[in-house]
Each structure stands twice: as structure tokens, then as C-alpha cells.
Amino acid sequence: MIASSIPAFEHERSTLLFSAEQLAQFGAQWTAKEISQQPKMWRQVSDEHRNKAGMSTWLSTILAKPQLRIILTGAGTSAYIGDALAAHLQQHLPLVTQRVEAISTTDLVSHPALYLSPKIPTLLISYGRSGNSPESMAAVALVEQLVDDCYHLAITCNGQGQLAQYCTDKPHCYLYKLPDETHDVSFAMTSSFTCMYLATLLIFSPNTEALNQICVMAETILSSHLAEIRAQAELACQRIVFLGGGPLKAIAQEAALKYLELTAGQIVSAFESPLGFRHGPKSLVDFNTQVLVMVSSGAYSRQYDVDLIKELKRDNKALSILTLSESQLLNTNVLEEVWLGLPFILWCQVLAIYKAIQLGVSPDNPCPTGQVNRVVQGVNLYPLNQG
């Protein structure tokens, strides 16, 4: 067992097994709070969603359009919400002629002509923790400029942000404001990511039983698995790979980004699907590499995950092979992967904060020199000349 550089601390008022004093010392107060509050926030988002009756009325008219196109957009972590949910939402649209696509604001802004169609009615669903990222408003403006029949649904944690202000009191826009507590103060998006993700599920495919189960799973992680996750973080890895299939591929991508951000790039992180991993990326596995496989709940899809896990064990090259499954947390295999993504990413967030603390990196501000920032800076926006 490798000696831990993280001091042990257990107390009924601790957060992620640390006291308030320890978290202040590590520069981890906000990140720890925002990770830990997620089950509570998920329930609050669900409760507040019941009071948004006006949104259903507003959305029903748009969803009656036979050729409707829905674009899920954001940048970085916010973009991965759309990547995880697009295929699932497609199955819940009222008309087979409608479609859902995930296109990041960074792609929409740099290449609008490739992605926007003037004659197709379009609902742009924009995700933004602050709503102040430069690409967020640029994407909205480009859709307004290039699409004849457009609508905007802003899902944001900041009612004072530019995105929220734009979507207030305009008949073709709707502001879906999340609780103030989800507007993460820390550098990395944690509860803001999962709550914007959950809001989308509540809008298009609500499932009360699934919500209750994922809250229980998250609470189980925070009450019974922290020591296990901390032990995983204490392994002296130089690389880590997150693998997931279907919607869990985007969750794996977000997990890799969270790990990279919170460790200030000291640990190289990657992601793929279990099937895609063999097609080249598997070559990065060596004795300094951790692999974490997010196991699908569906029996058919799970076969491919299990095959790869067995193969990695036979190879005997990885530092460790970790698995994360519904059965570990709930002793069932019934939830759709879009719901499993929420407790699974919480597990990965905890893993990342423990690693950051072990490395001596402040999770709240892992890049104090400013090469990367909480709200992206340094983006020049250019007018689109349609001529």
C-alpha cells in the first residue's frame, strides 16, 4: 500500500472526510462543497421544476413543428451535456421528422455555415454555468442572424449572466434558471454540470423513480465509498483513462477533463468507448496508467464492457483497472445510462479532487497563473459577413 499524502480525517461534520480547516489549507473548500451538495441540489432542481408550468406551454408550440431541429450547445463541460443526452432525447421527441443534435458553441461560432440551416425551424438549447462565456452569446447571435424561425432555451445557473439577460422577456426565448447554489464558485464545473444535465432530462423525459435511485446512489458514494475512492487516488499514476459506452462516453470525456483540470495537467487523462479503445488509444496503457470503466446497465451493451475489462486484466499492463457500475451502488441493473451518468460523474469528481489534494494542487484554483480561467477569456469574436 502506498503511503497516503492525504491526512485521514473522519467526523460527522466533515466534507469528503476532511474538516473545514483542512479544506481551507488545501484550497478545496468550494470544490468539496459543490461536489458534496449534488444529491440535495438534484432534489431541489426537481422540486423547482414543478413550478415551471409556463415552460411547458411555451415549449409545446415549438414541439408541434414537424421539421423542428433542436441543437444542444455549450463549450467544454457544458457541451458534454448535449453529447451525453442527444441520442436519448431524440427518442422522446413527439414527431419522427424532428431531430436533436449536439453541437458545441465553439463549433457553431467558428463554422456557422456548416451547422445552421436558414429554412429549418431551430430550437437552440444553450447551457452555461455563468452564461458569460464569449461563445455563448456569439452562438445565439449567429442563430438569430442565419435561421429564419429560431427559438432559445437557456439553461443556466446565473440569472445575472448575459445569456440569462438575453432570454428574459422575449417571446421566442425561455430562461430556465437553476438554484443559485448550482452556480459553482470553484474553477471546475461540478454541480452546475449535473444540474443542467438533470434539468434537460426533467424537461424532455422525466422519470421520478430514476431520479430517486440516482440520488440514493450519490448519497451512497458520499457515505460509504469515499475511503475506496481516496485509495484509488493515492495510486502513483501518471496517466488515467476513462471509458464508457453510449451516453457514458460523454461522461467519460467530462471525467477526463475534470481530472485534467483539477490536477492542473499534472496527470494525463484520456477517454474513449470500450469498443473504440482498441482502435489505437489502448496503446497508451502502461504500468503507470489507471483505467476506469463505466459499465453499462443494459445486458447487451454490458457484454462489450466486460470483454474489455477481461482483456485489460489478461494484458496485465495497467497500474489498476477500476470498474464503476450500477450494481456496485444499488445492486440493480435497471437504470438507463443517461441517468447513471449523474452518480458516475460524481464518483469521478471525488477521485479528481482527492488526486489534486495529493499532488498539492488547489482544486478551487488549480491554475493561479491564469493560462485557463473559470470563465474563458481571450476569445476574439468576428462579425459574419453573409456576402
Side-chain angles (χ1 to χ4, degrees), residues 210-272:
L211 175 60
N212 289 336
Q213 287 178 307
I214 61 110
C215 287
V216 170
M217 292 171 74
E219 288 160 349
T220 299
I221 292 170
L222 295 170
S223 64
S224 304
H225 291 274
L226 294 179
E228 175 187 351
I229 301 172
R230 187 165 70 180
Q232 295 173 356
E234 289 168 357
L235 294 176
C237 72
Q238 296 177 10
R239 304 171 178 175
I240 187 166
V241 181
F242 297 91
L243 302 175
L248 295 178
K249 182 179 180 182
I251 299 300
Q253 185 173 14
E254 167 59 9
L257 176 60
K258 212 52 51 199
Y259 204 94
L260 186 72
E261 287 179 326
L262 291 186
T263 63
Q266 291 190 35
I267 308 295
V268 175
S269 61
F271 77 97
E272 245 300 347

Short mmCIF file of all heavy atoms in Angstrom, two decimals, residues 210-272:
data_model
loop_
_atom_site.label_atom_id
_atom_site.label_comp_id
_atom_site.label_asym_id
_atom_site.label_seq_id
_atom_site.Cartn_x
_atom_site.Cartn_y
_atom_site.Cartn_z
N ALA A 210 -36.28 6.96 -11.44
CA ALA A 210 -34.85 7.04 -11.76
C ALA A 210 -34.17 8.13 -10.96
O ALA A 210 -33.04 7.96 -10.47
CB ALA A 210 -34.67 7.27 -13.26
N LEU A 211 -34.84 9.28 -10.83
CA LEU A 211 -34.26 10.38 -10.05
C LEU A 211 -34.04 9.96 -8.61
O LEU A 211 -32.99 10.22 -8.02
CB LEU A 211 -35.18 11.59 -10.12
CG LEU A 211 -34.78 12.79 -9.25
CD1 LEU A 211 -33.40 13.32 -9.65
CD2 LEU A 211 -35.81 13.89 -9.33
N ASN A 212 -35.02 9.30 -8.01
CA ASN A 212 -34.86 8.85 -6.63
C ASN A 212 -33.69 7.88 -6.50
O ASN A 212 -32.91 7.94 -5.54
CB ASN A 212 -36.15 8.17 -6.15
CG ASN A 212 -37.29 9.15 -5.96
OD1 ASN A 212 -37.06 10.34 -5.73
ND2 ASN A 212 -38.51 8.67 -6.05
N GLN A 213 -33.53 7.00 -7.48
CA GLN A 213 -32.47 6.00 -7.42
C GLN A 213 -31.09 6.63 -7.56
O GLN A 213 -30.14 6.26 -6.85
CB GLN A 213 -32.69 4.94 -8.49
CG GLN A 213 -33.85 4.02 -8.17
CD GLN A 213 -34.11 3.00 -9.26
OE1 GLN A 213 -34.27 3.34 -10.43
NE2 GLN A 213 -34.14 1.73 -8.91
N ILE A 214 -30.96 7.60 -8.46
CA ILE A 214 -29.63 8.19 -8.63
C ILE A 214 -29.26 9.06 -7.42
O ILE A 214 -28.08 9.19 -7.08
CB ILE A 214 -29.49 8.96 -9.96
CG1 ILE A 214 -30.48 10.12 -10.07
CG2 ILE A 214 -29.63 8.00 -11.15
CD1 ILE A 214 -29.88 11.47 -10.02
N CYS A 215 -30.25 9.63 -6.76
CA CYS A 215 -29.96 10.37 -5.52
C CYS A 215 -29.46 9.42 -4.44
O CYS A 215 -28.50 9.73 -3.72
CB CYS A 215 -31.19 11.12 -5.04
SG CYS A 215 -31.63 12.56 -6.05
N VAL A 216 -30.09 8.25 -4.34
CA VAL A 216 -29.63 7.24 -3.38
C VAL A 216 -28.22 6.78 -3.72
O VAL A 216 -27.37 6.63 -2.84
CB VAL A 216 -30.61 6.05 -3.35
CG1 VAL A 216 -30.02 4.89 -2.54
CG2 VAL A 216 -31.95 6.47 -2.77
N MET A 217 -27.94 6.56 -5.01
CA MET A 217 -26.61 6.14 -5.42
C MET A 217 -25.56 7.19 -5.06
O MET A 217 -24.48 6.86 -4.56
CB MET A 217 -26.60 5.88 -6.93
CG MET A 217 -27.43 4.67 -7.34
SD MET A 217 -27.60 4.53 -9.14
CE MET A 217 -25.96 3.97 -9.57
N ALA A 218 -25.88 8.46 -5.31
CA ALA A 218 -24.94 9.53 -5.00
C ALA A 218 -24.69 9.62 -3.50
O ALA A 218 -23.56 9.81 -3.04
CB ALA A 218 -25.46 10.86 -5.54
N GLU A 219 -25.76 9.50 -2.72
CA GLU A 219 -25.61 9.54 -1.27
C GLU A 219 -24.82 8.34 -0.76
O GLU A 219 -24.05 8.47 0.21
CB GLU A 219 -27.00 9.60 -0.63
CG GLU A 219 -27.66 10.96 -0.83
CD GLU A 219 -29.17 10.95 -0.65
OE1 GLU A 219 -29.77 9.85 -0.57
OE2 GLU A 219 -29.76 12.04 -0.64
N THR A 220 -24.97 7.20 -1.41
CA THR A 220 -24.18 6.02 -1.04
C THR A 220 -22.70 6.25 -1.31
O THR A 220 -21.84 5.87 -0.50
CB THR A 220 -24.69 4.79 -1.82
OG1 THR A 220 -26.06 4.55 -1.49
CG2 THR A 220 -23.86 3.56 -1.49
N ILE A 221 -22.39 6.88 -2.44
CA ILE A 221 -20.99 7.21 -2.74
C ILE A 221 -20.41 8.08 -1.64
O ILE A 221 -19.31 7.82 -1.13
CB ILE A 221 -20.90 7.92 -4.10
CG1 ILE A 221 -21.24 6.97 -5.25
CG2 ILE A 221 -19.48 8.50 -4.30
CD1 ILE A 221 -21.39 7.66 -6.59
N LEU A 222 -21.15 9.11 -1.25
CA LEU A 222 -20.64 10.09 -0.28
C LEU A 222 -20.61 9.55 1.14
O LEU A 222 -19.86 10.06 1.98
CB LEU A 222 -21.49 11.36 -0.35
CG LEU A 222 -21.41 12.13 -1.68
CD1 LEU A 222 -22.47 13.22 -1.73
CD2 LEU A 222 -20.02 12.72 -1.89
N SER A 223 -21.41 8.53 1.42
CA SER A 223 -21.44 8.00 2.79
C SER A 223 -20.60 6.74 2.96
O SER A 223 -20.10 6.47 4.06
CB SER A 223 -22.88 7.69 3.20
OG SER A 223 -23.43 6.67 2.39
N SER A 224 -20.42 5.97 1.87
CA SER A 224 -19.82 4.63 2.04
C SER A 224 -18.62 4.33 1.14
O SER A 224 -17.99 3.29 1.33
CB SER A 224 -20.90 3.56 1.78
OG SER A 224 -22.01 3.74 2.62
N HIS A 225 -18.31 5.19 0.18
CA HIS A 225 -17.26 4.84 -0.79
C HIS A 225 -16.09 5.83 -0.82
O HIS A 225 -15.19 5.69 -1.65
CB HIS A 225 -17.86 4.72 -2.19
CG HIS A 225 -18.76 3.54 -2.36
ND1 HIS A 225 -18.30 2.29 -2.70
CD2 HIS A 225 -20.10 3.42 -2.21
CE1 HIS A 225 -19.31 1.44 -2.77
NE2 HIS A 225 -20.42 2.11 -2.48
N LEU A 226 -16.09 6.83 0.05
CA LEU A 226 -15.04 7.84 -0.02
C LEU A 226 -13.66 7.26 0.25
O LEU A 226 -12.68 7.61 -0.42
CB LEU A 226 -15.34 9.00 0.94
CG LEU A 226 -16.58 9.84 0.60
CD1 LEU A 226 -16.77 10.93 1.64
CD2 LEU A 226 -16.47 10.44 -0.80
N ALA A 227 -13.55 6.38 1.23
CA ALA A 227 -12.24 5.78 1.53
C ALA A 227 -11.74 4.96 0.34
O ALA A 227 -10.54 4.98 0.02
CB ALA A 227 -12.34 4.91 2.78
N GLU A 228 -12.65 4.27 -0.33
CA GLU A 228 -12.28 3.49 -1.51
C GLU A 228 -11.79 4.40 -2.63
O GLU A 228 -10.76 4.12 -3.28
CB GLU A 228 -13.50 2.70 -1.98
CG GLU A 228 -13.30 1.92 -3.27
CD GLU A 228 -14.59 1.30 -3.78
OE1 GLU A 228 -15.61 1.31 -3.04
OE2 GLU A 228 -14.59 0.79 -4.91
N ILE A 229 -12.49 5.50 -2.86
CA ILE A 229 -12.09 6.42 -3.94
C ILE A 229 -10.75 7.07 -3.58
O ILE A 229 -9.88 7.26 -4.44
CB ILE A 229 -13.18 7.48 -4.18
CG1 ILE A 229 -14.50 6.81 -4.56
CG2 ILE A 229 -12.75 8.45 -5.29
CD1 ILE A 229 -15.69 7.75 -4.63
N ARG A 230 -10.57 7.42 -2.31
CA ARG A 230 -9.32 8.04 -1.90
C ARG A 230 -8.16 7.08 -2.12
O ARG A 230 -7.08 7.49 -2.57
CB ARG A 230 -9.39 8.48 -0.44
CG ARG A 230 -8.18 9.28 0.00
CD ARG A 230 -8.42 10.01 1.31
NE ARG A 230 -8.52 9.10 2.44
CZ ARG A 230 -8.72 9.51 3.69
NH1 ARG A 230 -8.90 10.81 3.94
NH2 ARG A 230 -8.79 8.64 4.67
N ALA A 231 -8.36 5.81 -1.84
CA ALA A 231 -7.32 4.81 -2.09
C ALA A 231 -6.98 4.72 -3.57
O ALA A 231 -5.81 4.56 -3.96
CB ALA A 231 -7.76 3.45 -1.56
N GLN A 232 -7.99 4.84 -4.42
CA GLN A 232 -7.74 4.86 -5.87
C GLN A 232 -6.89 6.07 -6.25
O GLN A 232 -5.97 5.97 -7.07
CB GLN A 232 -9.07 4.88 -6.63
CG GLN A 232 -9.92 3.63 -6.47
CD GLN A 232 -11.29 3.78 -7.10
OE1 GLN A 232 -11.65 4.84 -7.61
NE2 GLN A 232 -12.08 2.72 -7.05
N ALA A 233 -7.19 7.21 -5.65
CA ALA A 233 -6.46 8.44 -5.96
C ALA A 233 -5.02 8.38 -5.48
O ALA A 233 -4.15 9.06 -6.03
CB ALA A 233 -7.17 9.65 -5.34
N GLU A 234 -4.75 7.59 -4.46
CA GLU A 234 -3.41 7.54 -3.89
C GLU A 234 -2.44 6.72 -4.73
O GLU A 234 -1.22 6.78 -4.51
CB GLU A 234 -3.48 6.98 -2.46
CG GLU A 234 -4.12 7.95 -1.49
CD GLU A 234 -4.46 7.32 -0.16
OE1 GLU A 234 -4.25 6.09 -0.01
OE2 GLU A 234 -4.93 8.04 0.73
N LEU A 235 -2.95 5.95 -5.69
CA LEU A 235 -2.05 5.20 -6.56
C LEU A 235 -1.21 6.17 -7.38
O LEU A 235 -1.70 7.18 -7.87
CB LEU A 235 -2.85 4.28 -7.48
CG LEU A 235 -3.63 3.14 -6.80
CD1 LEU A 235 -4.46 2.39 -7.82
CD2 LEU A 235 -2.68 2.20 -6.07
N ALA A 236 0.06 5.84 -7.53
CA ALA A 236 1.00 6.77 -8.17
C ALA A 236 0.92 6.66 -9.69
O ALA A 236 1.85 6.20 -10.36
CB ALA A 236 2.43 6.47 -7.69
N CYS A 237 -0.21 7.09 -10.24
CA CYS A 237 -0.38 7.01 -11.69
C CYS A 237 0.18 8.26 -12.38
O CYS A 237 0.29 9.33 -11.78
CB CYS A 237 -1.85 6.84 -12.05
SG CYS A 237 -2.86 8.31 -11.80
N GLN A 238 0.56 8.08 -13.63
CA GLN A 238 0.98 9.20 -14.47
C GLN A 238 -0.04 9.46 -15.58
O GLN A 238 -0.03 10.52 -16.20
CB GLN A 238 2.35 8.91 -15.09
CG GLN A 238 3.46 8.79 -14.05
CD GLN A 238 4.79 8.44 -14.67
OE1 GLN A 238 4.95 8.44 -15.90
NE2 GLN A 238 5.77 8.13 -13.84
N ARG A 239 -0.91 8.49 -15.81
CA ARG A 239 -1.97 8.61 -16.82
C ARG A 239 -3.23 7.97 -16.27
O ARG A 239 -3.16 7.04 -15.47
CB ARG A 239 -1.59 7.87 -18.11
CG ARG A 239 -0.28 8.28 -18.75
CD ARG A 239 0.06 7.32 -19.88
NE ARG A 239 1.29 7.67 -20.56
CZ ARG A 239 1.84 6.94 -21.53
NH1 ARG A 239 1.27 5.80 -21.91
NH2 ARG A 239 2.96 7.33 -22.11
N ILE A 240 -4.37 8.45 -16.74
CA ILE A 240 -5.63 7.81 -16.38
C ILE A 240 -6.55 7.85 -17.59
O ILE A 240 -6.57 8.83 -18.35
CB ILE A 240 -6.29 8.49 -15.16
CG1 ILE A 240 -7.52 7.70 -14.70
CG2 ILE A 240 -6.64 9.94 -15.43
CD1 ILE A 240 -8.03 8.09 -13.31
N VAL A 241 -7.30 6.76 -17.79
CA VAL A 241 -8.22 6.63 -18.91
C VAL A 241 -9.61 6.33 -18.38
O VAL A 241 -9.77 5.44 -17.53
CB VAL A 241 -7.79 5.50 -19.87
CG1 VAL A 241 -8.75 5.41 -21.06
CG2 VAL A 241 -6.37 5.71 -20.35
N PHE A 242 -10.60 7.07 -18.86
CA PHE A 242 -11.99 6.84 -18.51
C PHE A 242 -12.71 6.28 -19.73
O PHE A 242 -12.62 6.85 -20.83
CB PHE A 242 -12.66 8.14 -18.06
CG PHE A 242 -12.06 8.73 -16.82
CD1 PHE A 242 -11.02 9.66 -16.91
CD2 PHE A 242 -12.52 8.37 -15.56
CE1 PHE A 242 -10.45 10.21 -15.77
CE2 PHE A 242 -11.96 8.92 -14.42
CZ PHE A 242 -10.93 9.84 -14.51
N LEU A 243 -13.43 5.17 -19.55
CA LEU A 243 -14.11 4.52 -20.66
C LEU A 243 -15.59 4.37 -20.36
O LEU A 243 -15.98 4.01 -19.24
CB LEU A 243 -13.50 3.13 -20.91
CG LEU A 243 -11.99 3.09 -21.22
CD1 LEU A 243 -11.52 1.64 -21.31
CD2 LEU A 243 -11.68 3.85 -22.49
N GLY A 244 -16.42 4.63 -21.36
CA GLY A 244 -17.86 4.46 -21.21
C GLY A 244 -18.51 4.37 -22.58
O GLY A 244 -18.05 5.01 -23.54
N GLY A 245 -19.56 3.60 -22.69
CA GLY A 245 -20.25 3.43 -23.96
C GLY A 245 -21.57 4.18 -24.01
O GLY A 245 -22.17 4.48 -22.97
N GLY A 246 -22.05 4.49 -25.20
CA GLY A 246 -23.31 5.22 -25.36
C GLY A 246 -23.22 6.56 -24.68
O GLY A 246 -22.21 7.28 -24.82
N PRO A 247 -24.24 6.96 -23.91
CA PRO A 247 -24.18 8.25 -23.20
C PRO A 247 -23.00 8.35 -22.24
O PRO A 247 -22.53 9.45 -21.96
CB PRO A 247 -25.51 8.28 -22.43
CG PRO A 247 -26.41 7.35 -23.17
CD PRO A 247 -25.53 6.27 -23.72
N LEU A 248 -22.52 7.22 -21.75
CA LEU A 248 -21.42 7.24 -20.79
C LEU A 248 -20.08 7.61 -21.43
O LEU A 248 -19.13 7.93 -20.72
CB LEU A 248 -21.30 5.88 -20.10
CG LEU A 248 -22.49 5.49 -19.21
CD1 LEU A 248 -22.28 4.10 -18.62
CD2 LEU A 248 -22.72 6.52 -18.10
N LYS A 249 -20.01 7.61 -22.76
CA LYS A 249 -18.78 8.09 -23.39
C LYS A 249 -18.57 9.57 -23.11
O LYS A 249 -17.45 10.02 -22.83
CB LYS A 249 -18.81 7.84 -24.90
CG LYS A 249 -17.51 8.27 -25.60
CD LYS A 249 -17.55 7.98 -27.09
CE LYS A 249 -16.25 8.43 -27.76
NZ LYS A 249 -16.27 8.19 -29.23
N ALA A 250 -19.65 10.36 -23.19
CA ALA A 250 -19.53 11.79 -22.88
C ALA A 250 -19.26 12.00 -21.40
O ALA A 250 -18.56 12.95 -21.03
CB ALA A 250 -20.80 12.52 -23.30
N ILE A 251 -19.79 11.13 -20.55
CA ILE A 251 -19.49 11.21 -19.12
C ILE A 251 -18.01 10.90 -18.89
O ILE A 251 -17.34 11.55 -18.08
CB ILE A 251 -20.39 10.26 -18.31
CG1 ILE A 251 -21.86 10.63 -18.50
CG2 ILE A 251 -20.02 10.28 -16.84
CD1 ILE A 251 -22.22 12.03 -18.06
N ALA A 252 -17.49 9.93 -19.63
CA ALA A 252 -16.05 9.63 -19.55
C ALA A 252 -15.23 10.82 -20.02
O ALA A 252 -14.17 11.13 -19.45
CB ALA A 252 -15.74 8.39 -20.40
N GLN A 253 -15.69 11.52 -21.05
CA GLN A 253 -14.99 12.71 -21.53
C GLN A 253 -14.98 13.80 -20.46
O GLN A 253 -13.96 14.45 -20.22
CB GLN A 253 -15.64 13.22 -22.81
CG GLN A 253 -14.90 14.39 -23.45
CD GLN A 253 -15.46 14.77 -24.81
OE1 GLN A 253 -16.57 14.35 -25.17
NE2 GLN A 253 -14.72 15.54 -25.56
N GLU A 254 -16.12 14.01 -19.81
CA GLU A 254 -16.18 15.00 -18.74
C GLU A 254 -15.30 14.59 -17.56
O GLU A 254 -14.63 15.43 -16.95
CB GLU A 254 -17.63 15.19 -18.31
CG GLU A 254 -17.82 15.96 -17.01
CD GLU A 254 -17.25 17.36 -16.99
OE1 GLU A 254 -16.84 17.89 -18.05
OE2 GLU A 254 -17.21 17.96 -15.91
N ALA A 255 -15.28 13.30 -17.24
CA ALA A 255 -14.42 12.82 -16.15
C ALA A 255 -12.95 13.08 -16.47
O ALA A 255 -12.18 13.50 -15.59
CB ALA A 255 -14.66 11.33 -15.93
N ALA A 256 -12.55 12.85 -17.72
CA ALA A 256 -11.16 13.09 -18.11
C ALA A 256 -10.83 14.57 -18.01
O ALA A 256 -9.73 14.94 -17.55
CB ALA A 256 -10.93 12.58 -19.53
N LEU A 257 -11.75 15.43 -18.44
CA LEU A 257 -11.50 16.87 -18.34
C LEU A 257 -11.42 17.30 -16.88
O LEU A 257 -10.55 18.10 -16.51
CB LEU A 257 -12.60 17.64 -19.06
CG LEU A 257 -12.51 19.17 -18.95
CD1 LEU A 257 -11.20 19.69 -19.54
CD2 LEU A 257 -13.71 19.85 -19.62
N LYS A 258 -12.33 16.79 -16.03
CA LYS A 258 -12.32 17.18 -14.63
C LYS A 258 -11.00 16.79 -13.97
O LYS A 258 -10.43 17.55 -13.18
CB LYS A 258 -13.49 16.50 -13.90
CG LYS A 258 -14.10 17.26 -12.78
CD LYS A 258 -14.51 18.68 -13.16
CE LYS A 258 -15.35 18.76 -14.40
NZ LYS A 258 -15.39 20.08 -15.02
N TYR A 259 -10.51 15.60 -14.29
CA TYR A 259 -9.25 15.12 -13.72
C TYR A 259 -8.09 15.99 -14.20
O TYR A 259 -7.22 16.38 -13.42
CB TYR A 259 -9.04 13.67 -14.14
CG TYR A 259 -8.15 12.87 -13.21
CD1 TYR A 259 -8.70 12.11 -12.18
CD2 TYR A 259 -6.78 12.86 -13.38
CE1 TYR A 259 -7.90 11.36 -11.34
CE2 TYR A 259 -5.97 12.11 -12.54
CZ TYR A 259 -6.54 11.37 -11.52
OH TYR A 259 -5.73 10.63 -10.68
N LEU A 260 -8.10 16.33 -15.48
CA LEU A 260 -7.04 17.17 -16.04
C LEU A 260 -7.07 18.56 -15.41
O LEU A 260 -6.02 19.10 -15.04
CB LEU A 260 -7.22 17.27 -17.56
CG LEU A 260 -6.12 17.99 -18.34
CD1 LEU A 260 -4.87 17.12 -18.40
CD2 LEU A 260 -6.60 18.31 -19.75
N GLU A 261 -8.26 19.14 -15.29
CA GLU A 261 -8.39 20.48 -14.72
C GLU A 261 -7.94 20.53 -13.27
O GLU A 261 -7.14 21.39 -12.87
CB GLU A 261 -9.85 20.95 -14.81
CG GLU A 261 -10.32 21.31 -16.20
CD GLU A 261 -11.77 21.73 -16.21
OE1 GLU A 261 -12.58 21.19 -15.41
OE2 GLU A 261 -12.13 22.60 -17.04
N LEU A 262 -8.46 19.61 -12.46
CA LEU A 262 -8.20 19.68 -11.03
C LEU A 262 -6.76 19.32 -10.68
O LEU A 262 -6.25 19.77 -9.65
CB LEU A 262 -9.18 18.79 -10.26
CG LEU A 262 -10.64 19.25 -10.26
CD1 LEU A 262 -11.49 18.37 -9.36
CD2 LEU A 262 -10.77 20.71 -9.82
N THR A 263 -6.11 18.54 -11.50
CA THR A 263 -4.69 18.22 -11.25
C THR A 263 -3.76 19.18 -11.98
O THR A 263 -2.56 18.96 -12.02
CB THR A 263 -4.36 16.78 -11.67
OG1 THR A 263 -4.55 16.62 -13.08
CG2 THR A 263 -5.24 15.77 -10.92
N ALA A 264 -4.32 20.25 -12.57
CA ALA A 264 -3.54 21.26 -13.29
C ALA A 264 -2.67 20.63 -14.38
O ALA A 264 -1.55 21.08 -14.64
CB ALA A 264 -2.67 22.05 -12.31
N GLY A 265 -3.19 19.59 -15.01
CA GLY A 265 -2.48 18.96 -16.12
C GLY A 265 -1.32 18.08 -15.71
O GLY A 265 -0.59 17.60 -16.59
N GLN A 266 -1.13 17.84 -14.43
CA GLN A 266 0.00 17.01 -13.99
C GLN A 266 -0.20 15.54 -14.35
O GLN A 266 0.76 14.80 -14.51
CB GLN A 266 0.22 17.15 -12.49
CG GLN A 266 0.73 18.53 -12.07
CD GLN A 266 1.16 18.56 -10.61
OE1 GLN A 266 1.69 17.58 -10.08
NE2 GLN A 266 0.92 19.69 -9.96
N ILE A 267 -1.47 15.12 -14.44
CA ILE A 267 -1.78 13.75 -14.83
C ILE A 267 -2.47 13.79 -16.20
O ILE A 267 -3.46 14.48 -16.38
CB ILE A 267 -2.71 13.05 -13.82
CG1 ILE A 267 -2.16 13.17 -12.41
CG2 ILE A 267 -2.92 11.59 -14.21
CD1 ILE A 267 -0.85 12.46 -12.17
N VAL A 268 -1.92 13.07 -17.16
CA VAL A 268 -2.51 13.00 -18.49
C VAL A 268 -3.78 12.15 -18.41
O VAL A 268 -3.77 11.05 -17.86
CB VAL A 268 -1.52 12.38 -19.49
CG1 VAL A 268 -2.19 12.20 -20.86
CG2 VAL A 268 -0.28 13.24 -19.62
N SER A 269 -4.87 12.67 -18.93
CA SER A 269 -6.14 11.94 -18.91
C SER A 269 -6.67 11.78 -20.32
O SER A 269 -6.44 12.61 -21.20
CB SER A 269 -7.17 12.67 -18.03
OG SER A 269 -7.44 13.96 -18.55
N ALA A 270 -7.40 10.68 -20.53
CA ALA A 270 -7.97 10.38 -21.84
C ALA A 270 -9.32 9.70 -21.64
O ALA A 270 -9.66 9.27 -20.53
CB ALA A 270 -7.03 9.48 -22.64
N PHE A 271 -10.08 9.59 -22.73
CA PHE A 271 -11.39 8.92 -22.67
C PHE A 271 -11.64 8.21 -23.98
O PHE A 271 -11.07 8.53 -25.02
CB PHE A 271 -12.50 9.94 -22.41
CG PHE A 271 -12.87 10.75 -23.64
CD1 PHE A 271 -13.95 10.38 -24.43
CD2 PHE A 271 -12.11 11.84 -24.02
CE1 PHE A 271 -14.27 11.10 -25.58
CE2 PHE A 271 -12.42 12.57 -25.16
CZ PHE A 271 -13.51 12.20 -25.94
N GLU A 272 -12.51 7.25 -23.96
CA GLU A 272 -12.99 6.55 -25.16
C GLU A 272 -14.17 5.68 -24.77
O GLU A 272 -14.54 5.60 -23.61
CB GLU A 272 -11.88 5.69 -25.79
CG GLU A 272 -11.42 6.12 -27.18
CD GLU A 272 -12.51 6.12 -28.24
OE1 GLU A 272 -13.60 5.57 -27.99
OE2 GLU A 272 -12.29 6.69 -29.32
#
